[in-house]
Amino acid sequence: MSVHTGSDADTSAPPTEHRGVPTVTVPRFVTLATVAILATQLMLQLDAQVVTVALPQLQQDLGFSPAGLSWVPNAYALAFGGLMLLGGRLGDVLGRVRVFTIGTVLFALASLAAGLAPDATIMVVARVAQGVGAAIAAPSILSLITAIARDEHARSRNMALFTAASAVGSSFGLILGGALTAFFSWRWGLLINLPIGAVVVLVVRWLVKEDRSAGGRVDVAGAITATLGSLALVYGFVHAAETGWATTGTAVTFILALVLLTTFVAVERRVGLPLLDLSLVRHRKRATALGAMGLTVGVHFSLLFTLVQFYQRELGMSALVAGLAFLPLTGTILIVTQFVPAFVRRVGAGRLLVLGTALVTLSFIWFTALDASSTYLGGVVAPLVLHSFGVALVFTPGTMLIMEGVPARHSGSMSGFLQMVQQVGGSLGIAVIVAVHTSGGEPSAFLPGLAGAFWTAAALGTVAVLIALVGLTTRRSRSESVG
């Protein structure tokens, strides 16, 4: 891969070579290239939440049944999470700019179809296509922004910006969705992806050119078992959230996921060019960060899911105001993330990960105090800011720990695996919290069972803290930490 700006004089750093991967040359317009690539990550994360606050209007316009309405977010989540590993490997084999372009174009066109959908069936099909496009494009995003960094400092900064785009995207999606629904239509939350996608593709194709693909081939058996296993796992959590954990359908889905993913591991141990090099996952530091991040993403998504209902059902907020109520979260993450690379250099990524998971856990303990007398300013803002601070201290150091030391030829695969873990973690968090909330509540009331749901999230956060403590604070792990 060479980065092109129009002439040889535009390059400002020598190429970096890696065996079996394209060559990368840092462009003079590296900031523009980085912004364009990160805009895609923000767009993909926005889309996971942008229709959430508009679901009632969407149901009325397209004629969804109450049960069928859940497939608007779930269809996207299933395809996105299920195909992530394959998308990462395709970037390593076919070239990251090429795969990034294909995925982004597919996502933008599917967004157009969803925004113009005349009925429920076309909407669900379009949401699946959006998820497929996102799964193809997303793994190459992290690979590209690290590949075009001028030095290690820029690489750390780009990772921080990547995680900020990921974390902020979900919450800002609620804000944007609420605003567009209130002033225009829910359809614009989907239609805006077309011009954004077109501009991003044009800029990236102009600045970043590939000399050649990385080579190799796709592990077909691994791709099939990983994709079907991931789909089954994500669907199992989605199904559990809708129908409960004790149903036959939920049990069968999880058993199928276990069989397929076990088969995937067996295949990867024997194949010459695996979809995912298992030795990378067995690395103690990396495995620890993956576990802690997966759980943190899970409880973070469950908080977004729960608070948007609390805002509207208990505090009487409109869709627009409910979206704007997440501004403290979005702003805190954006601000704190800018300082995280410096924090990492001073104290190490492992210690920050421990601190971040602890703050997230404490925020949920604080949230258990919400009751009928709670107000937004008096009961929500303070624990929300604490939660946001913790999330910022988890996502960036966690990403650094996971991607540190990954050979360039496997960066797409590892990026895909990281984002698959996050997607599965999000589905798990929502499923568990919804199940606890429902079992302890009443169909016509929201508050009963809410404290139990937050205590459960705090328990999952405590597990993340313990994982980080055990795996990242030993002498050996500290020596491996970033910075």
Side-chain angles (χ1 to χ4, degrees):
M1 183 192 310
S2 64
V3 183
H4 174 70
T5 61
S7 70
D8 292 338
D10 288 337
T11 59
S12 57
T16 302
E17 305 232 0
H18 301 276
R19 181 181 177 185
V21 297
T23 300
V24 176
T25 304
V26 180
R28 176 178 296 173
F29 302 131
V30 64
T31 300
L32 178 59
T34 303
V35 168
I37 296 167
L38 288 173
T40 308
Q41 178 69 10
L42 182 64
M43 180 176 67
L44 300 184
Q45 296 301 320
L46 278 171
D47 210 73
Q49 300 290 345
V50 74
V51 297
T52 298
V53 294
L55 287 177
Q57 292 87 344
L58 195 150
Q59 179 180 14
Q60 182 179 354
D61 291 350
L62 300 184
F64 274 99
S65 66
L69 186 63
S70 65
W71 281 104
V72 176
N74 290 344
Y76 181 78
L78 274 172
F80 195 3
L83 294 170
M84 198 77 74
L85 261 180
L86 178 60
R89 181 57 181 159
L90 287 175
D92 290 337
V93 172
L94 302 178
R96 287 151 202 158
V97 175
R98 182 179 295 109
V99 171
F100 170 85
T101 301
I102 293 171
T104 304
V105 168
L106 175 58
F107 178 84
L109 293 176
S111 297
L112 175 64
L116 299 176
D119 55 47
T121 300
I122 292 179
M123 169 59 79
V124 172
V125 172
R127 290 290 283 173
V128 171
Q130 280 187 295
V132 173
I136 293 172
S140 292
I141 293 173
L142 184 55
S143 298
L144 285 171
I145 64 166
T146 55
I148 66 175
R150 286 193 173 97
D151 50 37
E152 190 60 32
H153 175 71
R155 187 172 183 268
S156 298
R157 186 195 63 226
N158 285 357
M159 283 191 181
L161 292 172
F162 170 83
T163 55
S166 301
V168 168
S170 297
S171 58
F172 189 68
L174 296 170
I175 299 172
L176 181 64
L180 291 174
T181 300
F183 295 115
F184 301 101
S185 166
W186 59 263
R187 295 182 182 274
W188 284 104
L190 298 160
L191 293 174
I192 59 172
N193 291 332
L194 185 63
I196 294 174
V199 171
V200 163
V201 167
L202 289 174
V203 170
V204 173
R205 296 291 294 185
W206 169 47
L207 293 178
V208 185
K209 303 291 184 182
E210 282 176 324
D211 292 334
R212 56 184 174 85
S213 65
R217 58 181 176 80
V218 176
D219 167 22
V220 177
I224 292 173
T225 52
T227 300
L228 294 179
S230 301
L231 284 170
L233 185 61
V234 176
Y235 178 75
F237 292 129
V238 169
H239 192 272
E242 292 179 349
T243 65
W245 292 86
T247 63
T248 302
T250 299
V252 169
T253 303
F254 280 127
I255 291 172
L256 178 61
L258 178 62
V259 171
L260 287 167
L261 294 176
T262 301
T263 304
F264 167 71
V265 172
V267 169
E268 298 307 277
R269 286 176 173 172
R270 291 194 298 267
V271 72
L273 294 172
L275 192 71
L276 176 67
D277 188 338
L278 296 179
S279 66
L280 296 175
V281 181
R282 287 194 296 266
H283 190 280
R284 182 178 182 179
K285 175 182 69 177
R286 191 170 294 119
T288 298
L290 283 166
M293 280 193 69
L295 286 169
T296 302
V297 170
V299 295
H300 174 63
F301 276 25
S302 73
L303 180 67
L304 298 180
F305 182 86
T306 304
L307 280 185
V308 74
Q309 296 178 74
F310 179 79
Y311 291 157
Q312 296 188 56
R313 295 181 62 176
E314 294 299 322
L315 300 183
M317 294 181 179
S318 65
L320 172 61
V321 177
L324 293 174
F326 285 98
L327 277 174
L329 183 149
T330 304
T332 302
I333 292 176
L334 275 174
I335 294 170
V336 175
T337 300
Q338 304 310 306
F339 298 96
V340 169
F343 295 160
V344 168
R345 290 192 296 273
R346 286 179 176 272
V347 302
R351 291 176 179 174
L352 283 183
L353 191 64
V354 172
L355 176 59
T357 52
L359 293 178
V360 168
T361 301
L362 289 174
S363 74
F364 279 105
I365 296 175
W366 199 339
F367 275 122
T368 62
L370 290 179
D371 56 26
S373 65
S374 298
T375 63
Y376 174 71
L377 291 177
V380 176
V381 172
L384 185 61
V385 169
L386 180 66
H387 177 89
S388 309
F389 202 103
V391 165
L393 295 183
V394 169
F395 282 19
T396 298
T399 301
M400 291 179 175
L401 288 165
I402 291 164
M403 298 304 296
E404 178 72 12
V406 175
R409 66 183 180 277
H410 293 302
S411 63
S413 297
M414 182 51 63
S415 174
F417 186 69
L418 163 60
Q419 294 180 74
M420 189 194 80
V421 167
Q422 292 175 331
Q423 188 66 50
V424 171
S427 300
L428 169 63
I430 292 175
V432 170
I433 300 313
V434 167
V436 173
H437 185 201
T438 302
S439 65
E442 303 170 7
S444 60
F446 181 74
L447 281 176
L450 184 62
F454 284 140
W455 278 116
T456 302
L460 292 175
T462 301
V463 174
V465 175
L466 294 175
I467 290 174
L469 278 171
V470 171
L472 295 171
T473 59
T474 62
R475 182 181 301 275
R476 174 185 171 188
S477 295
R478 280 200 302 267
S479 67
E480 294 174 337
S481 294
V482 179

